[in-house]
Amino acid sequence: MSSKIENKYRLLLLTMIIGGLLSLFILSFIHINQGSVGISLKVILESLINPKNIIEHNVIRDLRLPRLIIGMIAGGALGISGALFQSIMRNPLASASTLGINAGAYFSVSLFTIFLPNFTVIPFFPALAGALGTAIIVMNLGGGRKANPVQMTLAGVALSLVFSSMTSALQILFENETKGLFLWGSGSLVQTSWRGINFSFPIVSLCLFFSLVIASKIDILELGDDIATSLGLRVNLYRYIGIAIGVVATSSVIAVVGPIGFVGLVAPHIMKRIGFKKHIHIFILSFIWGAVILIGADVLSRLFTKGSYELPVGAFTAIIGAPWLIYLAYKTGKHIEKTPHGLLVQVSKKRLPYSILTSILLISILIVFFISLRYGGQEYSIKEIIETILGNGNGISNMIINKVRLPRVLTALLAGIVLAVSGFLLQTVLNNTLADPSTLGVTPGSALGALFTIYFLPKMSNIMIPISAFIGAILASFVIFGISKKSKYNPSMLVLVGMAVTALCQAGVNIIIINTTVGKSASLVWLAGSTYASTWNNVVTLLVSMLIMLPIAWLLCKDLDAIMLGQDVATAIGSDVTRIRILASVVGIFLSAVAVSTVGTVGFIGLLAPHMARFLVGVKHRKSLPIVSLLGGLLLLSANFIGSTIIYPNEIPSGLIVSVIGAPYFLWLLYSTSKIKR
Amino acid sequence: MKTIQTEKLILGYENTVIIDDISVKIPNNKISILIGANGCGKSTLLRSFARLLNPISGNIILNGRSMSKVSNKQIAKELAILPQTPVVSGSLTVRELVKMGRFPYQSWKNKLSDIDHEIVKKALKSTNMQNFADRNLNSLSGGQRQRAWIAMVLAQETDIILLDEPTTYLDVTYQIEVLDLLCKLNKEEGKTIVMVLHDLNLSCRYAHHIIALKDKKIYKQGAPQEVITKETVRDILDLECEIINDPIYKTPMCVPYSKAV
């Protein structure tokens, strides 16, 4: 390094440190000035220099100052952990939120809150257990050390999905026990004492200290394992130390203020982009600027606070950070475009004959269909059921079977089919076995649309819910596809943008749910995907969309076979890749929006059914489409049956049952795909 | 007519021009090889021949008409390309892959006719892959996998075949195997073959026609003996060398000077 460049680097470093501290100082003043009670600057200064036992001074000392300081500690800790994850995993997209660590910690804390409520006041150890577990899983699933960034991030997204669906299961089943977790769960800096600070300050300081100690080792680690080893570095040792520091720092933050996304993604990345290469500098700057970003987000979020409603800062960092993630995804996705590859799937070596398989599925559907009509409170015999359906039942059985159970069971069956086909199409279109409406951000988009109507237009909700869900899905898809258009709908790109859109919609959903006092559980049930109280209208909507879209899907199958070979080869053998992709996506998005508007956000079916089908009958699309449909229908039908009978007269939303079945399968799937790729 | 040629072709990505105003005619029934330094645009030019990249301006003329006016499927019946190291699901068998080569000939029914099956069989035979037809792609060696892909390209039954570095990542044994196969296809079936190749000496041995690229333009083209000279190698690859005759095949052979030995 010539001395001129060296001087420039030093100047830049100094500017960024001083600039960061200055910004932090200014923001702190604004921050401490905010609140429902107006307090003059003079009083604030007095309370700090010469504290007296008056209300204003107490408010500042016990509420505002702790909030400010915990914000700095949390922002800094997230900045450092993000920097560590990004460098050690050589993944510019890594951070506690993108790797699923936040979701894992949240799940673990919910679990402890329910089953060991008096275990500890600050849930550090539960958070640590969840965070550590997730970190280990995501590194293994993402393809280990040689993982490409996008693959690992996808594993993180998928894990987040698994954990957050399990968390919502807990929240619905244990509404009372988890009530207090809501505000915390979306990340809030609100403090009522110094307890959180006393707890997290020493831990975060230690993490900062140790990360600075190993900074020079991380510099070498970034050169690659082989070179680092030949330079005499104990690669694995420092890798694990670094990740451990990151996980501990994150957990101590999560334990006090809840999962806050994107700070850990944005702060280190800006520093690296500006041109800082030495990790000792990256760590210090990420700490300072992480704090700046989090305090800044809190200042902004309080500008939007009305009365006693508090907008959680976690939602706000998502609103700031998600566009950043899109930008990053765009940058990273462009490089990945240069290595085109086809769909990687696993296929069973021994296959059942096609006709036998189809018959087994059809018979299973029929059996579940009839037992679903039979049980649930009043029990009916098969004979009575058939008579009632044919119109020869008595008044009561007519009511129960024809008006309640039959539409519900049919809705479950049809919605299952629709969801499965939607995921099936999107997976091939995106050349991505982890794609489905929920990982792409389409489902969260429609959920936000529907919730918006439920809360802001309650009078017309019945007609408007499906329509607004559909509008939400379309808007989300427009954003996702619009942004990825430039990269020619690059698969990885789409998923990353989808992830950002999901974060945005999730933030919106959280804001709406937190700001409402009534019906929290009801909307959670809907969000978790429920077939409860389905009507014949739902059945008609689903049936009509299915009859229109399924034949189109079937016609597209031939070209989807070609697309499976990758974009170049597909074009070379004469398929109109772009046109087919757009067409198939439109069909897929439409189907998923229809499903959301009828049964809420049911995840996993769009992932599970296509995988199972490919495993059973191979990769040819015309062959697997019928199997996909049957499997999807069977899955949701069974989930509906289990959910409506297992704790009768109470209900478990079908979506959650699907998640409980789907999550383990999905984890296994991730594990085995990561093995194929290596 | 089985001709492919370009007219004032300009290629590039976003704001960078990679190929600047090239008009070239590929000789029929011959093996043509594109050579040049890394990043000189060989692959870009080849990809544009196969409409995998749209020109910024200029035309590609395939069998007498501008390629932009021909449907994607029709092009696939006249010209086939094997892109660089395609990766595909390991669960596909060789036969399934080769059948995909019949894609441009199928209607929406997606059924293979008896003729299609015959052509698939023939493609497997001429690439010597009959015995591997029901093996999974990922159970094959590098050379076998490349032959499977070439079989898929053959199943397209086109007169023109383009290949983007078909020997990359292969051991020299497999390199010869793949190039021999292409040579045989050219001799026996009169296929016009255009490819990008890195190895100068193998290029001279197998090519009838060499197109050397430099600075976004064609530097020189013609028979190997005409094109591969000390001067050409110095200009396009920035390398000092002696050109001698290959002791076996008498084609030009480049022996580079080293600066340190």
Side-chain angles (χ1 to χ4, degrees):
Chain A
M1 222 192 269
S2 78
S3 69
K4 207 174 169 188
I5 298 173
E6 216 166 89
N7 282 337
K8 215 175 150 192
Y9 185 87
R10 271 194 209 132
L11 190 69
L12 193 64
L13 180 65
L14 212 63
T15 320
M16 287 305 290
I17 291 179
I18 294 172
L21 291 175
L22 207 64
S23 318
L24 195 58
F25 190 69
I26 296 169
L27 283 170
S28 302
F29 256 99
I30 303 173
H31 189 268
I32 211 162
N33 230 338
Q34 286 177 318
S36 45
V37 190
I39 297 174
S40 73
L41 199 66
K42 198 174 143 236
V43 181
I44 293 173
L45 286 175
E46 267 177 20
S47 77
L48 296 178
I49 299 159
N50 183 18
K52 294 191 194 92
N53 195 12
I54 54 173
I55 283 188
E56 283 89 348
H57 286 196
N58 284 341
V59 164
I60 289 177
R61 274 206 321 269
D62 293 337
L63 295 177
R64 296 197 185 174
L65 212 50
R67 180 172 184 161
L68 174 68
I69 292 175
I70 199 69
M72 291 184 187
I73 296 175
L78 290 171
I80 285 214
S81 71
L84 279 164
F85 291 145
Q86 286 174 19
S87 294
I88 289 173
M89 299 179 181
R90 294 189 202 104
N91 180 353
L93 301 166
S95 78
S97 45
T98 44
L99 294 176
I101 292 176
N102 276 348
Y106 188 12
F107 171 69
S108 164
V109 171
S110 306
L111 209 60
F112 271 84
T113 313
I114 293 162
F115 296 109
L116 292 168
N118 302 320
F119 179 64
T120 158
V121 186
I122 292 170
F124 175 64
F125 287 103
L128 184 62
L132 199 60
T134 317
I136 292 169
I137 299 174
V138 83
M139 282 175 69
N140 279 310
L141 292 183
R145 268 178 267 161
K146 284 167 190 144
N148 89 33
V150 174
Q151 180 65 20
M152 187 181 282
T153 316
L154 285 181
V157 176
L159 265 183
S160 293
L161 197 73
V162 171
F163 281 124
S164 40
S165 58
M166 295 202 292
T167 307
S168 25
L170 292 179
Q171 285 172 344
I172 287 167
L173 294 177
F174 303 92
E175 199 192 349
N176 287 327
E177 291 87 337
T178 55
K179 225 180 335 194
L181 286 177
F182 262 116
L183 188 59
W184 174 86
S186 44
S188 164
L189 295 182
V190 176
Q191 298 289 306
T192 49
S193 70
W194 287 78
R195 209 173 51 204
I197 295 170
N198 290 339
F199 169 78
S200 59
F201 181 73
I203 299 181
V204 172
S205 309
L206 275 178
C207 289
L208 177 63
F209 173 75
F210 281 117
S211 58
L212 294 181
V213 169
I214 63 162
S216 61
K217 310 283 197 271
I218 307 289
D219 288 339
I220 295 173
L221 199 60
E222 252 204 340
L223 299 174
D225 287 3
D226 294 349
I227 295 175
T229 308
S230 71
L231 287 173
L233 186 77
R234 291 169 71 186
V235 171
N236 279 331
L237 179 71
Y238 284 100
R239 172 178 294 121
Y240 293 132
I241 291 178
I243 291 192
I245 296 173
V247 168
V248 170
T250 310
S251 315
S252 69
V253 173
I254 295 178
V256 178
V257 298
I260 292 180
F262 293 101
V263 176
L265 179 73
V266 176
H269 196 261
I270 295 180
M271 296 313 130
K272 285 190 178 181
R273 263 197 86 73
I274 288 176
F276 295 105
K277 300 216 164 57
K278 290 200 165 164
H279 280 86
I280 192 154
H281 303 147
I282 293 176
F283 290 149
I284 293 173
L285 287 168
S286 299
F287 191 92
I288 297 173
W289 283 93
V292 171
I293 292 172
L294 189 55
I295 297 294
D298 203 34
V299 166
L300 284 175
S301 76
R302 285 170 97 184
L303 289 180
F304 289 85
T305 302
K306 273 190 211 143
S308 58
Y309 287 156
E310 178 82 44
L311 200 60
V313 69
F316 217 83
T317 53
I319 292 168
I320 302 173
W324 184 267
L325 178 65
I326 293 177
Y327 163 76
L328 252 182
Y330 183 68
K331 281 276 174 198
T332 321
K334 255 184 165 174
H335 295 294
I336 287 146
E337 163 86 298
K338 282 172 191 153
T339 48
H341 64 77
L343 201 63
L344 288 153
V345 284
Q346 264 200 333
V347 171
S348 156
K349 300 243 157 51
K350 288 175 201 153
R351 289 184 197 169
L352 274 177
Y354 195 72
S355 52
I356 294 182
L357 184 66
T358 329
S359 323
I360 292 177
L361 285 173
L362 276 173
I363 293 167
S364 315
I365 286 180
L366 266 179
I367 294 172
V368 183
F369 185 83
F370 275 106
I371 58 171
S372 306
L373 288 177
R374 181 169 183 183
Y375 297 106
Q378 179 70 38
E379 210 173 294
Y380 289 101
S381 70
I382 299 292
K383 193 172 152 246
E384 282 170 307
I385 293 171
I386 293 174
E387 274 175 0
T388 315
I389 294 176
L390 293 176
N392 303 325
N394 59 37
I396 301 166
S397 71
N398 196 25
M399 180 69 203
I400 292 180
I401 291 183
N402 281 354
K403 293 247 166 72
V404 178
R405 289 192 196 166
L406 196 55
R408 176 179 178 157
V409 169
L410 282 174
T411 301
L413 176 67
L414 296 176
I417 296 176
V418 160
L419 278 167
V421 174
S422 165
F424 178 65
L425 293 175
L426 291 174
Q427 282 182 13
T428 305
V429 166
L430 304 178
N431 258 343
N432 193 323
T433 41
L434 302 182
D436 107 328
S438 40
T439 47
L440 282 179
V442 178
T443 311
S446 37
L448 182 60
L451 264 190
F452 186 84
T453 308
I454 294 177
Y455 288 111
F456 296 105
L457 307 164
K459 277 174 195 158
M460 50 202 318
S461 56
N462 277 343
I463 326 141
M464 278 298 287
I465 291 175
I467 298 175
S468 56
F470 192 70
I471 295 174
I474 298 291
L475 283 181
S477 323
F478 262 122
V479 173
I480 299 161
F481 284 81
I483 291 166
S484 29
K485 191 181 170 193
K486 240 184 151 180
S487 70
K488 290 187 179 163
Y489 307 105
N490 173 297
S492 335
M493 175 70 198
L494 270 169
V495 176
L496 287 170
V497 176
M499 187 173 134
V501 172
T502 304
L504 273 177
C505 296
Q506 205 67 53
V509 168
N510 280 346
I511 290 170
I512 292 181
I513 292 188
I514 285 162
N515 283 348
T516 47
T517 38
V518 283
K520 224 169 245 183
S521 189
S523 45
L524 277 176
V525 166
W526 184 81
L527 279 176
S530 172
T531 41
Y532 181 71
S534 299
T535 61
W536 281 105
N537 280 346
N538 291 346
V539 177
V540 172
T541 315
L542 284 164
L543 197 63
V544 170
S545 347
M546 221 179 82
L547 288 179
I548 299 170
M549 292 302 175
L550 249 51
I552 302 181
W554 191 79
L555 283 177
L556 287 170
C557 280
K558 173 176 169 268
D559 279 272
L560 293 180
D561 278 347
I563 285 179
M564 204 171 56
L565 300 177
Q567 179 153 347
D568 278 358
V569 179
T571 312
I573 60 175
S575 173
D576 244 330
V577 179
T578 312
R579 216 189 63 201
I580 298 293
R581 279 195 170 156
I582 291 175
L583 210 58
S585 315
V586 168
V587 174
I589 290 163
F590 179 83
L591 288 177
S592 95
V594 169
V596 171
S597 68
T598 48
V599 294
T601 57
V602 176
F604 286 110
I605 288 188
L607 276 173
L608 292 182
H611 280 280
M612 289 174 161
R614 289 200 177 98
F615 185 78
L616 291 169
V617 298
V619 291
K620 290 279 176 181
H621 285 82
R622 287 244 167 114
K623 248 182 149 181
S624 32
L625 182 66
I627 305 294
V628 167
S629 317
L630 294 177
L631 276 170
L634 183 60
L635 271 173
L636 196 54
L637 195 59
S638 316
N640 169 62
F641 173 65
I642 298 170
S644 63
T645 50
I646 200 165
I647 53 167
Y648 184 84
N650 289 325
E651 285 267 340
I652 304 176
S654 326
L656 289 181
I657 304 279
V658 177
S659 305
V660 172
I661 307 169
Y665 176 87
F666 189 57
L667 286 175
W668 169 78
L669 183 89
L670 269 177
Y671 177 71
S672 50
T673 357
S674 74
K675 267 193 164 167
I676 303 181
K677 296 214 167 176
R678 260 179 284 170
Chain B
M1 266 209 306
K2 33 189 154 175
T3 59
I4 183 157
Q5 64 186 83
T6 68
E7 274 173 1
K8 299 191 172 164
L9 189 66
I10 300 181
L11 301 172
Y13 302 96
E14 281 165 28
N15 300 321
T16 42
V17 170
I18 292 173
I19 292 293
D20 190 8
D21 195 14
I22 283 188
S23 299
V24 64
K25 194 170 184 301
I26 302 295
N28 283 351
N29 311 103
K30 295 270 166 63
I31 296 181
S32 302
I33 294 182
L34 298 168
I35 60 166
N38 283 334
C40 73
K42 310 174 293 250
S43 290
T44 308
L45 184 60
L46 191 81
R47 285 169 66 82
S48 81
F49 281 161
R51 54 59 180 101
L52 296 182
L53 181 75
N54 291 326
I56 294 176
S57 75
N59 265 324
I60 295 152
I61 312 289
L62 175 66
N63 296 341
R65 58 233 197 283
S66 170
M67 201 148 90
S68 58
K69 296 198 177 82
V70 186
S71 82
N72 209 359
K73 269 202 173 158
Q74 187 54 39
I75 297 175
K77 293 178 189 173
E78 299 175 21
L79 169 153
I81 182 169
L82 180 55
Q84 210 170 342
T85 53
V87 180
V88 76
S89 161
S91 51
L92 222 55
T93 64
V94 174
R95 195 190 305 279
E96 280 173 322
L97 178 71
V98 178
K99 277 181 184 169
M100 295 300 296
R102 297 307 294 161
F103 180 88
Y105 298 90
Q106 284 162 17
S107 69
W108 58 272
K109 278 186 286 187
N110 202 15
K111 271 263 188 270
L112 287 184
S113 68
D114 290 346
I115 301 168
D116 289 328
H117 284 295
E118 272 312 303
I119 290 165
V120 168
K121 219 186 251 171
K122 197 179 133 213
L124 285 168
K125 194 172 169 227
S126 47
T127 49
N128 212 3
M129 289 297 287
Q130 311 101 303
N131 297 334
F132 302 98
D134 295 310
R135 289 265 295 272
N136 273 347
L137 274 181
N138 62 356
S139 70
L140 302 177
S141 73
Q144 290 164 341
R145 201 176 305 157
Q146 197 66 323
R147 268 162 39 207
W149 279 99
I150 293 174
M152 187 210 79
V153 164
L154 285 182
Q156 266 176 269
E157 292 241 289
T158 59
D159 293 322
I160 303 170
I161 296 176
L162 314 178
L163 304 99
D164 195 355
E165 297 191 23
T167 58
T168 316
Y169 307 126
L170 296 183
D171 286 344
V172 73
T173 321
Y174 296 131
Q175 292 184 23
I176 300 291
E177 184 181 290
V178 166
L179 291 171
D180 276 345
L181 168 63
L182 295 171
C183 185
K184 191 184 86 178
L185 289 169
N186 166 261
K187 268 189 195 151
E188 293 175 2
E189 303 180 29
K191 305 268 187 201
T192 302
I193 289 174
V194 190
M195 60 182 148
V196 170
L197 218 55
H198 267 300
D199 190 310
L200 272 189
N201 298 336
L202 288 177
S203 298
C204 291
R205 179 181 298 178
Y206 285 96
H208 302 110
H209 189 82
I210 283 188
I211 301 171
L213 295 173
K214 199 208 173 194
D215 288 341
K216 304 168 188 173
K217 304 259 189 205
I218 291 180
Y219 173 83
K220 203 172 182 184
Q221 57 174 323
Q225 283 79 359
E226 297 162 26
V227 176
I228 301 300
T229 61
K230 272 167 89 161
E231 291 71 33
T232 309
V233 176
R234 182 187 302 136
D235 284 350
I236 66 169
L237 298 176
D238 194 19
L239 178 75
E240 294 297 332
C241 71
E242 289 296 334
I243 303 294
I244 58 172
N245 270 342
D246 183 319
I248 314 174
Y249 295 94
K250 310 299 173 206
T251 48
M253 195 165 140
C254 162
V255 184
Y257 283 105
S258 302
K259 289 196 177 117
V261 184

